[in-house]
Amino acid sequence: MVHRLKIWVMALTIVITFGVTLSVFPAITAKVVSNSEDEGWTKFFNPVCCFLIFNIMDWIGRSITSKTLWPGPDSKYLPLLAAIRFIFVPLFMLCHIPDHIYLPTFFQNDAWFIIFMIFFSVSNGYFVSLPMCLAPKKVLPHEGETTGALMTFFLALGLSVGAGLSFGFKALL
C-alpha cells in the first residue's frame, strides 16, 4: 500500500496547479478582449492569445520536464512554487475585460495579457508534468500503479477546486 506521506507534496502540487489554472482559464481569460482598433486583430485576439498561446506554451512547459526535473523528488517547496502562480488570478482579472463591474482595468495593452498568458501556461505545463514524473520515483516499484491512480485522483480534485473557484472569481469581476 502506498504510504500517503510519500507523495503528499506531489499530490498537493497537482491540486494547487490545476486549482489555479482552472480558476481563471478559460472563465476569466476568455473574457479578455483586445484594446486594439484593428478589427482583424480583435477578431482573432482571443482564439490566438488565449487558447493557441495557452496550448503551445503549456506543451512547452510539459516538455521542459524531459530535460530537467527541478526541484527534485525530495523538495518540500514544490507546492509553494506552484502556489506562487496565484499571482496570475489578479493579473488576468485586471486585464481589459469590458464588462468589469467591481474591478478596474489596469492592464489595457494587449501585450500584458500575452505576457501573462505565456508565463501562466508554461508554468502550468511544468507544474502539472513535474509531480506526475516525480511521484513514481518516491515509491517502491510495486507501488507505482497505485501512485498513478492516486495522482489521477488529485488531478481530478484540482480540476474540481479550480472550477469551483472560477465561479467566485467571475463574480468579482
Side-chain angles (χ1 to χ4, degrees):
M1 180 80 179
V2 176
H3 195 272
R4 283 174 283 208
L5 296 178
K6 289 182 183 179
I7 62 166
W8 77 267
V9 170
M10 303 307 152
L12 183 60
T13 301
I14 281 287
V15 172
I16 291 170
T17 301
F18 275 113
V20 171
T21 299
L22 270 289
S23 70
V24 292
F25 181 86
I28 305 296
T29 58
K31 289 182 166 285
V32 176
V33 298
S34 175
N35 201 26
S36 174
E37 294 183 20
D38 179 0
E39 285 185 35
W41 172 243
T42 58
K43 180 179 179 181
F44 292 105
F45 174 78
N46 204 272
V48 170
C49 296
C50 183
F51 295 99
L52 184 63
I53 288 177
F54 178 86
N55 284 295
I56 291 171
M57 293 295 128
D58 178 70
W59 174 75
I60 288 171
R62 291 171 193 254
S63 299
I64 291 171
T65 58
S66 68
K67 300 292 182 199
T68 182
L69 294 175
W70 179 89
D74 297 324
S75 175
K76 300 281 190 243
Y77 299 107
L78 196 53
L80 176 64
L81 293 172
I84 290 171
R85 296 181 68 248
F86 270 109
I87 190 67
F88 290 111
V89 174
L91 292 178
F92 283 129
M93 291 176 73
L94 294 171
C95 283
H96 187 241
I97 299 173
D99 54 354
H100 270 159
I101 295 172
Y102 301 109
L103 296 175
T105 298
F106 189 77
F107 300 106
Q108 290 281 345
N109 195 307
D110 296 352
W112 284 113
F113 178 75
I114 294 168
I115 291 166
F116 298 154
M117 185 56 73
I118 289 170
F119 285 106
F120 174 72
S121 51
V122 167
S123 64
N124 178 71
Y126 189 74
F127 286 117
V128 163
S129 186
L130 185 64
M132 295 302 248
C133 292
L134 293 177
K137 296 177 187 304
K138 303 272 302 169
V139 298
L140 298 172
H142 71 277
E143 298 173 326
E145 188 175 331
T146 305
T147 299
L150 282 171
M151 291 302 287
T152 302
F153 166 78
F154 285 109
L155 184 152
L157 179 62
L159 293 172
S160 300
V161 167
L165 287 173
S166 71
F167 289 103
F169 292 147
K170 277 180 64 176
L172 292 175
L173 290 175

